[in-house]
Amino acid sequence: MDSPFLILVAGQPAAELRRHGGFDHWIRVAAGLERDAAVAIDVAAGAALPTFDAFAGVIVSGSAAMVTERQEWSERTSAWLAGAVEAGLPVLGICYGHQLLAHALGGTVVDNPAGRRMGTFDVELLPAAREDALLSPLPGRFPAQMTHVQHVSVAPPGAVVLARAEHDPCHAFRVGDSAWGMQFHPEFSAAHMRGYIRARARVLVEEGFDDRALLRQVGATPQARRVLRRFVHHSRNAAR
């Protein structure tokens, strides 16, 4: 029997969207994992972190928190992630998880000087992605769901930068052969993205965005969504 995947829950969806489940549910469904093939641990609520050897891989969720806040649970998870990478456990960090993984491995996370990104935007693969286990099958440019304020301004030492987006030169990176950070949200559907824009409409307007225009631009992101299933496939093959 295959080992389960670990989902580290770093936060919860916007309150208006929690009727659709937590980030762990969204990730599990998008990754094609059965209920008993994933274990969710709410690290933001202070849950203890497990040993590395019981899991096929780990996926770190997004969060409304900021890596630069250096909250105790976040720093504890950061140290754990550094150990997981050193131990060879496959890791995929999503949004906050992407930033936390970068921080854990010596990269730099800051407020994006271009401000908030929320909606469906293009990701552009860099040449290194042509040889990457997760991204190589994807087109050179594809749409993805995004919602973030901070970003990775400096990738970790030795990291390979795989993709960029407008105002975000390190939108995806890999360290070694089994640790990835992705700023976009492969687990978000178009419905999730629209829900986020509606939930944050007041903030968006206050920051000078046209929330209705952002809603109109939301679309399906099937290529981005494939990343989670490819991570599961890659991790299971690596464990055999």
Side-chain angles (χ1 to χ4, degrees):
M1 182 176 178
D2 290 328
S3 298
F5 282 79
L6 176 64
I7 301 175
L8 297 183
V9 181
Q12 297 298 325
E16 295 86 342
L17 293 168
R18 292 176 192 171
R19 66 185 183 276
H20 301 301
F23 285 141
D24 56 308
H25 174 71
W26 299 9
I27 289 168
R28 184 178 61 77
V29 170
L33 291 168
E34 298 296 331
R35 190 177 299 275
D36 62 356
V39 174
I41 293 180
D42 192 342
V43 290
L49 287 155
T51 57
F52 307 134
D53 55 2
F55 301 98
V58 58
I59 303 169
V60 190
S61 83
S63 178
M66 301 293 169
V67 168
T68 56
E69 293 170 344
R70 304 289 192 267
Q71 296 188 52
E72 186 279 332
W73 66 265
S74 184
E75 292 294 278
R76 179 166 49 86
T77 305
S78 172
W80 186 92
L81 286 171
V85 172
E86 184 176 2
L89 180 66
V91 176
L92 174 61
I94 296 171
C95 195
Y96 187 89
H98 157 79
Q99 297 166 13
L100 189 63
L101 180 62
H103 169 62
L105 300 178
T108 303
V109 177
V110 299
D111 288 346
N112 192 327
R116 185 184 305 272
R117 297 293 281 172
M118 183 174 287
T120 307
F121 301 97
D122 281 351
V123 173
E124 180 184 351
L125 296 184
L126 299 174
R130 294 297 96 200
E131 305 298 325
D132 184 70
L134 303 193
L135 297 179
S136 60
L138 302 187
R141 182 182 292 269
F142 59 90
Q145 314 297 358
M146 303 179 192
T147 173
H148 58 282
V149 175
Q150 296 197 325
H151 75 160
V152 176
S153 61
V154 180
V160 178
V161 179
L162 301 169
R164 63 188 175 195
E166 187 179 5
H167 309 308
D168 193 5
C170 181
H171 203 80
F173 70 87
R174 186 187 72 248
V175 172
D177 295 325
S178 59
W180 288 267
M182 307 282 176
Q183 183 63 66
F184 63 90
H185 282 273
E187 81 281 20
F188 273 32
S189 67
H192 292 144
M193 193 71 258
R194 292 188 187 99
Y196 257 85
I197 293 171
R198 293 187 181 105
R200 302 284 189 261
R202 178 178 295 180
V203 171
L204 287 165
V205 171
E206 288 174 351
E207 293 178 357
F209 293 97
D210 183 340
D211 59 313
R212 294 183 180 181
L214 292 175
L215 281 170
R216 288 193 297 270
Q217 292 166 6
V218 171
T221 56
Q223 295 96 344
R225 202 167 175 85
R226 287 174 63 190
V227 168
L228 278 165
R229 291 186 182 238
R230 288 196 61 80
F231 176 74
V232 167
H233 177 75
H234 172 82
S235 301
R236 282 180 170 160
N237 282 346
R240 292 191 174 104

